[in-house]
Amino acid sequence: MPTIALRPATRTDVPEILAFVRELAEYEKLAHEAVATEAGMTEQLFGERPAAEVVIAEVDGQPAGFALFFHNFSTFLGQRGLYLEDLFVRPQYRGLGLGEKLMVHLAKLAVERGCGRFEWSVLDWNEPAIRFYRRLGAVGLDEWTVQRVSGQALRDLASGEVGGGLR
């Protein structure tokens, strides 16, 4: 029986975190979007104002999976929430319950931290992940769609240079 352990990531884990991110991006057919750097990730995770946290899952001392998460806020609840940005288990470690252990760990953190929600997004074609999340009790929010502004569109919006200018 393999030994499974979950632990908070440290600064020295950044190269492994980036490896997980790239493997996840490859799986999601989004490798071209995975442009994070070691320096940037180190600053964002372990700098003066960390933007997110990471939990590493290990099997017999080897990095096998990770979850990257951060807090958001619900004005309707008047409470912060926990948002899961990435969950990934390497293929050779799937079937050992690592994904569920990571999700249970994050749910416990959310409850301990007084969060009113634990939420995440999943690609609509990722049926195995959707089945997994439904098994854990997750409910899809079909009436909501994700909106995003990034790259040049973000810079244009920040400067007011969109749709003929903002009023």
Side-chain angles (χ1 to χ4, degrees), residues 18-34:
L18 281 173
F20 281 131
V21 168
R22 290 184 182 115
E23 291 170 55
L24 173 61
E26 188 69 35
Y27 172 76
E28 292 181 337
K29 302 173 183 80
L30 296 168
H32 62 283
E33 292 187 23

Side-chain angles (χ1 to χ4, degrees), residues 2-138:
T3 302
I4 296 172
L6 301 183
R7 64 173 179 79
T10 65
R11 186 179 291 267
T12 60
D13 290 313
V14 170
E16 195 66 51
I17 293 167
L18 281 173
F20 281 131
V21 168
R22 290 184 182 115
E23 291 170 55
L24 173 61
E26 188 69 35
Y27 172 76
E28 292 181 337
K29 302 173 183 80
L30 296 168
H32 62 283
E33 292 187 23
V35 297
T37 65
E38 193 169 321
M41 192 69 84
T42 300
E43 177 60 29
Q44 293 300 316
L45 296 177
F46 302 103
E48 187 176 321
R49 293 186 57 184
E53 300 173 63
V54 175
V55 175
I56 305 279
E58 295 179 333
V59 174
D60 295 330
Q62 296 302 307
F66 87 124
L68 187 145
F69 63 98
F70 55 88
H71 287 285
N72 56 14
F73 187 79
S74 167
T75 56
F76 286 13
L77 295 177
Q79 292 176 277
R80 65 183 181 163
L82 194 141
Y83 189 86
L84 173 64
E85 178 68 20
D86 289 331
L87 175 72
F88 181 74
V89 174
R90 289 186 166 134
Q92 66 267 36
Y93 296 108
R94 293 181 186 157
L96 298 175
L98 295 179
E100 185 170 339
K101 286 182 187 331
L102 285 163
M103 293 297 283
V104 167
H105 178 79
L106 295 180
K108 285 180 183 177
L109 277 179
V111 169
E112 289 169 6
R113 295 177 181 186
C115 296
R117 293 179 177 158
F118 173 28
E119 56 193 356
W120 57 92
S121 296
V122 61
L123 291 166
D124 59 4
W125 59 260
N126 194 346
E127 287 298 325
I130 293 168
R131 282 193 306 273
F132 168 68
Y133 296 139
R134 294 297 179 270
R135 188 171 59 77
L136 297 178

